[in-house]
Each structure stands twice: as structure tokens, then as C-alpha cells.
Amino acid sequence: MRQVNERAGASVVGVLRGLGTRPRGLTEGEAAERLSWAGENVVRPLPAPGWAPRLLLATRDPFTGVLFGLGVVSALDRAWGTAGVILALVGVSCVLRAWGELRADRAAAALGRLVPSTATVRRRATESCAPLAREVPVEEIVPGDVVQLAPGDVVPADVRLLRSRGLTVHQAALTGESAPVPKSPDGADEDERLCFAGSDVASGTASGVVTATGAGTVLAATGEPLRRRRTTAFGRAVNGVSWTLVRIMALAVPVVLAVNAAVRGRGWETLPFAVAVAVGLTPEMLPVVVTAAFVRGARDLARDEGVIVKRLPALHDLGAMDVLCTDKTGTLTRGTLVVDPAAGDRDAVAWAALGSRWLLDGSDGLGLDAVDEALLAHPPDVPEPLPPGHTCVDVLPFTPARRLSTVVLTRPARPGVRVLVVKGAVEDVLARCAVDEAEREALRRRADALAGGGLRVLAVATAERPHRGRPFTPADERGLTPRGLLALRDETAPGARAALAALAAAGVEVKVLTGDHPGTAARVCHDLGLDLGPDAWADPDGPHADPARGSALVLTGDRVDTLDDEALTELASRAVLFARCTPAHKARVVDALRRAGRVAGYLGDGVNDLPALRAADVGVSPRDGADAARAAADVVLAAKDLSAIGTAVAAGRRATGNIATYLRVAVSSNLGNVISMLVAGVLLPFLPMLPAQVLAQNLCFDAAQLAFAYDRPGPSVLRRPARLRPEAFTRFVTLYGVFNAAADLATFGVLAVVASGERAFHAGWFTENLITQAMIMVMLRSGSARDHGERTVPPRPVRLAVAALAAIGLLLPFSPLAAPLRLRALPPLYYGLLAVVLAAYGTGLALARRHRSRRRRAVRVSRPRRS
């Protein structure tokens, strides 16, 4: 089918002729035939990948690649046990991730199917039958169908209007504007004559002919350029940590070979040991722990909050998010207006409310607009200006040309008199009032001041006319008496202010990106406690405060167009409100925030939000958002509620805290072991630990650390964005790796005194290693050190894993497995001296952790707050 804008400029007759239809609508046979070649009226999202593609995508994780490479090297070296364990871990991780994401996609699709979709069309059984209006599934709408629209209807396809009465539609899903847009078949431009798929009717009624369906609609065209998602915060963090470990592992193998060759004259026979050292440095369980933590967090969110995490690593990105960009309409506001009686005139409010009530009764609600709904939803506490017994006899609905509406009422005591109650745009109403220019100018200045404060302003006027026995016309709207101004504002969403305060307390800054007028959006931000500076409404296209003071800015889309990337990056970090934004503007702002080093989330529900959803580190959409928005999002909410975002952020931080704990504990312990092995390789005439012993130790430690996926991080983890930072990670594992190596070397000294022989050394170090690893699982986990006076007790899975690990270290040398592993029991004196070493080790760990916590608190206190 030709695009909708090719038909928009044609006359109604030309449009109908071009589509091969009539005002009476299609016959059922014609509709069925067109459905066969036009296809269903759906905008199909990109198909979700199946099992095989998901498994391949899971292997693209950098660390999974490292493990896979080590497994292959181990297999080439005939270390079949090591290779089998590593490859099994890789397989389990990939299956868990693919399974979790597949379930999330299915849950998101099920949420979308909960929203019913039908439309009213005018069709005939046969050519000679009279047309009947009936409900049909939206999927069965075809080009040439004549649809009927009423308040609350979602426009099912692109429609050229044939007739309308007071029609206004919400196009926020396409343009981001919160105010309803007038539509008429006689509109001045093409957009006024068209209703687009995905918009919804705010007021009035209409009929129109479908010009495009499915992929041919403007809605589909807007969602067409879906770019491949770039590397997110999780990808950057994992890449950084992975390459840090890759460099260490790549250095470990040749160093082990070189040291053994230079000092002990050993050759390639030490290669299995060198590979075992590299494997020992590797946190083999990382993919499994990461996936288990994400699956657990996603499952809890879905069960408790109705939040569907479609891309499991998005949980990390939620936890790391330090700035959330959101649209305004329906998120911070309810998408409805509310009367501000303090800003307007009581007389104007009283007359306007009277007119809206009779408009509801006189037109069955079909002529109501957003202003009428605001007056009816919250009736003003003012007396009615007419005595009881009056009735409505006529209505002149709003039209784009007149920009006002009129209700004609009777006066009970004066049956020959009719009262006209007129409300509408200030200029249009004042132009019809019988007042002098000074009074008109005074009202105009007041209206400008209120509009500059972000309010929507209408004028209200009345007139008395004699009853002439004929319908009233716009010509009667003359010589009016002004009753004052009616001021309205966007109604903020319940709980939005508290949710914003909670996000701010959690270190997440909220920025508003909207297609709405800057004054209207600034008023909403002000009502919700977002500081925009003292002159936020006066000059929305420029800086509104001294940047040196760190105050907020308001930027418009036009201003964004004048900025290069570097300038936008600087301003976007300080700005709170971006108004009159197109979809491209929103995506560019999100890009600028990411270039500034921020982890940016985006909450949006419309097709106009697609570029920004794709540009963000994590995209979030509500369940009742557009299909394309839900398909593009990483996280789907049960409702568009900022408090649900806060819950999801907390879940992400818990999952990331558990992953960070595993990494810190595993790599610092493994690094200490590598240092100890290198030292022991120089000092001892035999290998300090056999490959089978290294593998057994790693299996025990890795299995125990799987419990970290079920840990409960301390409250301090939830107070600030949680990221996997390679630099901080490197410093941490280096410090505590040296601590672990010191404990190992002290143990070597104890073994030199109380034991002799290769098997005794292996047994002693094996026992000490597992016990120290059990200790750091408790002492280095998140929340183990006092932070803000808080300390968390390890949950039951962690306590059991720690106890089992320590018990294996103590009992294995006495078990039947000791002989195959070439271990033997040690004398009691060893265990007594080992207790002294472990006590000193634990004391050193506690002091270092406490000192580190104090330094981090001091740094956070001294760091200037981001504006």
C-alpha cells in the first residue's frame, strides 16, 4: 500500500476512490480478501531468538571465552579432569543464562497479550445490505475499512478523517506531547486531517477511512531504525575485569615455566603445573555465579513486583545506574489535568464547572475534553452561578478553528432567556468579549504570567441571548462578559515525589526528557521537588543559573541542535529537564550522559522513546507501553511507576554486590595461591601442589562460593550505584592476595618445623588453603565490615558452605580420599601452630577491612555532590 502521507492531501472523495471503498464501508467479503493480501494489522517486533542463538550469545561473554580457552589448553595437555570441569562450568552457565532470558521473553510477551485490542468498524454483509457497526480484532482491520472513534479508543491504524465532532487525540506515544491535539477532516494541514495508529482519543467522536495498516503505518516507520544495542555498563565492567585476569594468567604460565627451568632445571614437564596455576588463578565459577545471581534476582522481581527482566545482565546495569532519564506524561504525571483554584478565578471556575457538567449530560460525554474531565473529576468547592432548575439546550463543541466550546443553558425564572457559557483559548475568548482594551490587556498579561509558570490557561465568559427558536451558532458567541481565567496543571502521579526522593537518596539522579512545552514540564518538575534554578520558566533555551554553583539547567530540543557533542556532554550532566525533544534529541542526550561516564537508564512507553531505549545502558518500559517499546526494553514493569524502578534498582545492586563479593574473594585467594606457588617453586625440590590437588581444591572452593548467589549484601551496598570497577578490583585483590600469600608462607614455615616430606607439605598447605578460603568468604563478603555501624550476618547457604569448606580441609587428609590425592595426616602440633597463623591472618584481614571502610567513607564525604 502507498504511504499514508501520499493520501493525506487528497480530498475525501479522492481518498475513498484511491482506496476502492465507500463511506458505507467494505463488505465482509472485501474485507476478507484485503486481509489475505494486506496481512494482519500488526507491527511485528523482531523475532525473539530461540535456544541455539541464545546459547551462542551466552558464549560471547569475555570471561566465558577465557575459560573455554583454558579448557582447550588443558585438553591439549591431556589434563582431562581439568578440561572437563572447566567446560562443564561453561556449559552450565550458558544454559542457565539462555533459559533465564527465554523465560523472561515469554513472560513479557504474555503481559502484552493481557491487553485486549478491538476496534469499531462499519461493514456490510453484502453489497445491498445496510452498514452495521461492530467490534473486530485490531489485527483484522484492513485498508479501506471505515472505523468509528470515541473517547478512550486507541486509533487502530492510520486513518484519514471523514467526519468529526470536537475530536482531540493524545499523540504522546509518537511525539511525547501531553496535551491533546485537535483533529478535523477540514484541518489546515495534513497532520490535522490524519489520526495515527497508536494514538488515543481524548474527546469527541469521528469516523475515518483506514489508509495504512501494520508495517505501512507511521507507528511502524517510527520504530524502524532499531539499532543493535551497544556495549552496556555490564559489558564494559566484565571486559575490564576479564582483560585484567587475562593479562595476569598470560603472565603466570611463562613465569612458572621460566622459574622452574632456571632454578630447578625442570622443562616442559612442569607445563601441567603451569596450566593448573593459571586455572587456579581463574574464578571458574564466575559465569555460573553471575547467571545464578541474575536469575535469582529476576525471579524475585517477577514474583514479588511483576517486573520482567528480559536481558539478565540488565540487572547489573540497573544496580550501576546513576542517572535515570524518563518521559513526563504518564510517568511523573498521570496524563490528566487538575484545576489549580488558587491560580485562577473562582467565578471562572464556577461557570466552567457548570458548563462541563451539562456537557456531560447533554452529549453523553462524547464532547468532553481534558479540561472538562479535570473539572468533573475534582469538582471545585464553589457555589453554582445559576439557581436550580436550569437545563442544557444546546452545545457548540470545540473545533481547531474556533478553539473554544459553548454550552447553552436555560434560566428557570426567565424562560425566554438562554445563557451561553464559553471557555477556550484566552485570545479567542477575549476577542469575543465586550470589554475595553485596557481590561483585555490586563487579562492577557495575567494569562501570560500563569502560562509562563507552567500552567495551562483558559478564559471563561458568559452571555445572555433571547430564545429565538433556532439552533445557536458561532455567530452568537459575541459581546461576551469575561468571568476570569481558569488555570490547570498536570496532575502528578501518586507517589512520584516520594519515589524521586528515594531514588535521589540511592544515588540515582532523575532527568526528564519530554516533547512537551518547557513551561508545562518545568511546573511538573517544580511540583515534584526537582530544582531547575530560579529562572527555569523565563528563558528555557539558555542556562538558567550560574554553572559554577552547580545549579540545574533547562534545555530545549532547539538548543540541543546548536550544541556539538562535547558541549552537550558538559551541559547534559548538569541539566535536569529537556523539553520539546524529538526521539533523536532523547537518544542524543542519553549518548551524551554515557560519554560523561554515567550509567544511564531510560524509562519510556512510546514509539518516540525507541531510540533512547536503545541508546541507554538499560531500557525500561511499562507493560501497557507500545509493543515496539516493550520489545526494545530490557526490563518491563507491571505499571509505569517510579517506585517499581527503585525496587528493581535495589535488586540489581544486591545481585551485583554478590557478584563483586565472589570476584574479590575468589581472585584475591587465587592470587595469593599463585604467589605462594611461585615462591614454593623456587624453595622446594618438588612441586608445591600437584595438578590433581589444585583441581580438587578449586572444585571445593568453587562449589562453596556458589552460595554467594544467595547472599544478602549489607545495607550500604544499596545506598549507592554498584559497579564492577576493574581499577578498584585490581587494588583489592592485590592487597588481600598479598595477605593470603603471607598466611601461606607462614604455613610453609610451620611445615618446615613440624613435618617433612612431599606428602606432608601438600597435606598441610591443602588444609590451610581451604580454611583460609573459608575465612575470607566470611570476612571479605559485602557487609562483613562495619559500614555506617551496620554488619550483616551471612545467610544460611553461605554459613553452610563455609562450614563444609573448613571441614573438608581438616578431615580430607584423614579420609580414604587422601591416598589418591597423595595427602597424609599431620601431627597435632601442626594444627596448634596453624591456629596461631589463622588467628593472626584473621586479625590482619579485619584491621585491613576496617581501615579500607573508613577510607572509603572519608572519600565519599569529601567528594562534591553531583548537581
Side-chain angles (χ1 to χ4, degrees):
M1 297 300 295
R2 286 178 288 171
Q3 291 298 314
V4 62
N5 56 12
E6 295 178 3
R7 305 187 192 281
S11 66
V12 170
V13 174
V15 171
L16 293 171
R17 186 176 298 154
L19 289 165
T21 187
R22 294 157 299 282
R24 302 173 67 204
L26 301 172
T27 66
E28 294 293 350
E30 289 171 334
E33 180 185 354
R34 295 189 183 206
L35 184 63
S36 67
W37 54 259
E40 289 188 336
N41 178 34
V42 292
V43 179
R44 299 191 184 278
L46 296 176
W51 263 105
R54 288 184 189 277
L55 286 173
L56 289 176
L57 288 173
T59 61
R60 294 173 60 184
D61 180 286
F63 208 84
T64 300
V66 171
L67 286 176
F68 186 81
L70 282 175
V72 172
V73 171
S74 300
L76 293 175
D77 192 48
R78 299 181 182 279
W80 304 114
T82 302
V85 170
I86 291 176
L87 296 178
L89 291 174
V90 170
V92 168
S93 170
C94 293
V95 168
L96 280 176
R97 176 177 291 188
W99 172 74
E101 293 186 352
L102 190 63
R103 286 189 61 190
D105 271 350
R106 289 173 177 169
L111 282 177
R113 289 193 294 270
L114 293 177
V115 183
S117 301
T118 61
T120 303
V121 299
R122 191 183 302 160
R123 286 184 182 171
R124 297 167 293 156
T126 64
E127 188 68 38
S128 59
C129 291
L132 296 175
R134 69 183 189 89
E135 295 282 324
V136 299
V138 166
E139 293 82 1
E140 297 179 9
I141 299 291
V142 296
D145 259 327
V146 175
V147 298
Q148 296 180 349
L149 301 174
D153 286 350
V154 176
V155 180
D158 287 348
V159 173
R160 171 60 155 85
L161 293 175
L162 302 177
R163 294 179 181 176
S164 70
R165 180 179 173 88
L167 181 67
T168 62
V169 300
H170 285 293
Q171 296 185 156
L174 291 166
T175 65
E177 292 182 284
S178 61
V181 180
K183 298 286 184 176
S184 169
D186 304 318
D189 56 37
E190 295 178 2
D191 281 352
E192 286 189 21
R193 297 190 287 269
L194 294 168
C195 289
F196 301 107
S199 55
D200 59 272
V201 179
S203 65
T205 59
S207 63
V209 60
V210 174
T211 59
T213 60
T217 61
V218 170
L219 177 72
T222 305
E224 189 70 24
L226 296 181
R227 307 191 302 269
R228 177 183 295 273
R229 181 176 294 280
R230 67 193 69 193
T231 302
T232 64
F234 178 75
R236 295 193 297 274
V238 169
N239 280 336
V241 173
S242 297
W243 284 112
T244 298
L245 292 174
V246 167
R247 286 190 287 270
I248 297 174
M249 287 186 293
L251 183 64
V253 174
V255 167
V256 171
L257 290 174
V259 168
N260 277 276
V263 178
R264 295 297 177 183
R266 303 181 185 123
W268 288 105
E269 66 272 15
T270 58
L271 180 60
F273 175 70
V275 172
V277 169
V279 173
L281 182 62
T282 306
E284 300 96 334
M285 292 296 289
L286 177 61
V288 179
V289 170
V290 166
T291 305
F294 286 162
V295 167
R296 179 171 180 258
R299 182 198 62 201
D300 292 347
L301 282 174
R303 181 190 63 217
D304 301 334
E305 305 292 337
V307 176
I308 305 300
V309 180
K310 295 170 54 184
R311 182 177 62 88
L312 289 180
L315 261 183
H316 167 272
D317 299 334
L318 279 170
M321 180 176 68
D322 58 9
V323 57
L324 173 65
C325 300
T326 176
D327 64 349
K328 176 184 70 69
T329 306
T331 305
L332 302 178
T333 69
R334 301 182 64 177
T336 57
L337 296 172
V338 62
V339 176
D340 190 336
D345 298 305
R346 286 176 59 86
D347 200 21
V349 172
W351 280 105
L354 178 66
S356 295
R357 182 166 64 81
W358 281 111
L359 190 64
L360 173 66
D361 295 340
S363 62
D364 295 326
L366 299 182
L368 295 177
D369 60 14
V371 176
D372 298 309
E373 290 175 357
L375 289 163
L376 294 170
H378 304 285
D381 186 18
V382 292
E384 283 196 355
L386 288 180
H390 56 274
T391 60
C392 176
V393 294
D394 204 356
V395 172
L396 301 178
F398 175 93
T399 66
R402 291 170 51 246
R403 299 201 304 166
L404 48 83
S405 63
T406 298
V407 175
V408 183
L409 306 175
T410 62
R411 270 191 179 274
R414 301 170 62 188
V417 174
R418 300 291 182 261
V419 178
L420 279 65
V421 181
V422 182
K423 71 174 185 297
V426 175
E427 287 293 336
D428 294 79
V429 173
L430 291 182
R432 292 164 169 80
C433 288
V435 294
D436 58 37
E437 189 57 33
E439 184 177 354
R440 183 179 288 110
E441 183 60 27
L443 284 170
R444 189 181 293 117
R445 282 198 301 269
R446 274 193 62 211
D448 290 343
L450 292 173
L455 296 174
R456 183 177 178 186
V457 185
L458 301 178
V460 180
T462 63
E464 291 190 353
R465 296 287 184 267
H467 175 47
R468 300 177 183 140
R470 61 170 177 80
F472 284 82
T473 69
D476 295 302
E477 299 168 335
R478 293 289 185 270
L480 306 178
T481 301
R483 296 295 182 175
L485 300 177
L486 177 66
L488 304 103
R489 54 181 170 81
D490 277 343
E491 184 177 9
T492 57
R497 189 183 182 100
L500 290 180
L503 286 172
V508 179
E509 183 182 1
V510 175
K511 297 182 183 292
V512 181
L513 280 62
T514 178
D516 219 337
H517 186 277
T520 304
R523 165 61 64 175
V524 171
C525 292
H526 177 269
D527 292 343
L528 292 174
L530 295 176
D531 182 21
L532 304 178
D535 303 315
W537 302 316
D539 178 20
D541 289 323
H544 301 298
D546 180 4
R549 298 201 307 266
S551 297
L553 305 174
V554 179
L555 298 179
T556 63
D558 291 341
R559 179 76 191 283
V560 170
D561 285 334
T562 67
L563 301 173
D564 59 22
D565 287 346
E566 183 177 353
L568 181 59
T569 298
E570 179 184 353
L571 287 179
S573 296
R574 299 200 306 270
V576 171
L577 171 61
F578 300 83
R580 291 295 192 200
C581 285
T582 66
H585 289 141
K586 294 181 179 182
R588 194 168 170 227
V589 169
V590 172
D591 281 335
L593 291 170
R594 297 179 79 243
R595 281 195 303 273
R598 312 291 293 274
V599 178
Y602 188 87
L603 171 62
D605 65 341
V607 177
N608 63 315
D609 296 312
L610 287 179
L613 286 168
R614 285 284 172 178
D617 287 291
V618 55
V620 185
S621 177
R623 120 179 184 183
D624 57 354
D627 289 344
R630 290 201 310 271
D634 304 303
V635 178
V636 178
L637 305 178
K640 195 193 298 188
D641 182 0
L642 285 177
S643 63
I645 292 281
T647 303
V649 166
R653 292 180 181 180
R654 281 192 291 269
T656 302
N658 291 342
I659 295 166
T661 294
Y662 168 76
L663 272 173
R664 289 196 299 264
V665 169
V667 180
S668 59
S669 175
N670 293 351
L671 180 61
N673 288 343
V674 168
I675 296 172
S676 302
M677 285 182 179
L678 292 176
V679 173
V682 174
L683 300 177
L684 299 176
F686 50 82
L687 291 177
M689 190 173 287
L690 300 178
Q693 295 166 353
V694 173
L695 178 61
Q697 177 181 271
N698 287 345
L699 283 174
C700 294
F701 193 27
D702 291 339
Q705 288 179 107
L706 188 58
F708 281 136
Y710 303 91
D711 198 4
R712 293 190 300 269
S716 61
V717 173
L718 305 181
R719 292 196 186 100
R720 56 186 178 272
R723 296 199 213 180
L724 299 175
R725 303 177 187 270
E727 301 83 1
F729 166 76
T730 302
R731 291 193 298 270
F732 187 100
V733 300
T734 300
L735 171 64
Y736 291 102
V738 171
F739 264 99
N740 292 338
D744 289 344
L745 295 177
T747 302
F748 293 170
V750 170
L751 290 170
V753 173
V754 303
S756 61
E758 182 177 345
R759 295 183 66 178
F761 183 92
H762 291 161
W765 192 19
F766 187 92
T767 296
E768 181 264 348
N769 241 331
L770 289 189
I771 295 177
T772 55
Q773 287 171 346
M775 291 176 64
I776 64 174
M777 282 186 65
V778 175
M779 302 187 71
L780 296 189
R781 57 180 287 273
S782 298
S784 59
R786 289 196 182 275
D787 195 0
H788 300 281
E790 298 161 346
R791 178 181 292 171
T792 62
V793 177
R796 181 181 177 84
V798 176
R799 296 199 304 270
L800 291 176
V802 167
L805 190 62
I808 290 172
L810 287 170
L811 300 177
L812 191 62
F814 298 94
S815 73
L817 294 176
L821 291 174
R822 299 179 62 82
L823 303 173
R824 73 175 181 84
L826 292 165
L829 180 59
Y830 165 76
Y831 294 101
L833 295 175
L834 178 62
V836 175
V837 172
L838 295 177
Y841 173 66
T843 302
L845 280 181
L847 292 175
R849 185 70 191 270
R850 186 172 302 173
H851 175 69
R852 184 171 178 271
S853 296
R854 288 173 179 169
R855 284 190 60 189
R856 292 178 65 187
R857 288 201 300 271
V859 169
R860 286 199 296 272
V861 169
S862 62
R863 183 181 299 149
R865 292 182 63 85
R866 179 181 283 124
S867 61

